[in-house]
Amino acid sequence: FAIGSQLSPEVGSSGIEMLETDTFKLHCFQTLTGIKFVVLPDPPQAGIDSLLRKIYEIYSDFALKNPFYSLEMPIRCELFDQNLKLALEVAEKAGPFGPGP
């Protein structure tokens, strides 16, 4: 994040949002609280921005609202795991021509 924001030609850049190569794309979603979610999909996969927002929603609902969860610790919550798996399955079924940004 720090390197990306320093190398960016844009003043006040918030860092890398997407890095694209021939073999993969790296998508990064940074929340207002500073938490970053990173996804490495196949290049033709679409709808990654909405997937990242959905992952953040799941994280907010099942990790942050869990009184036993501490920030920067592994998430150990079965409901989080189930909902994350479901969101990933939906994104995978959407395929490379799924809804875009």
Side-chain angles (χ1 to χ4, degrees):
F1 169 78
I3 293 170
S5 60
Q6 290 173 2
L7 293 176
S8 175
E10 293 185 31
V11 178
S13 171
S14 62
I16 296 172
E17 290 181 18
M18 183 179 73
L19 176 68
E20 187 173 354
T21 71
D22 293 338
T23 55
F24 73 91
K25 287 183 182 178
L26 180 140
H27 290 262
C28 181
F29 175 69
Q30 181 172 331
T31 67
L32 294 175
T33 57
I35 295 171
K36 295 175 191 72
F37 294 91
V38 178
V39 175
L40 295 164
D42 290 333
Q45 185 71 40
I48 300 303
D49 293 334
S50 59
L51 173 63
L52 284 165
R53 285 191 296 277
K54 182 65 177 174
I55 291 171
Y56 178 52
E57 179 184 319
I58 293 167
Y59 172 75
S60 297
D61 287 345
F62 298 104
L64 291 181
K65 293 178 184 177
N66 182 345
F68 302 107
Y69 173 70
S70 297
L71 290 175
E72 300 184 20
M73 294 300 294
I75 300 169
R76 301 195 195 301
C77 174
E78 189 173 327
L79 285 174
F80 173 82
D81 292 341
Q82 290 171 353
N83 283 279
L84 179 61
K85 182 178 178 184
L86 180 61
L88 294 173
E89 287 172 356
V90 167
E92 186 176 357
K93 286 180 185 175
F97 303 107

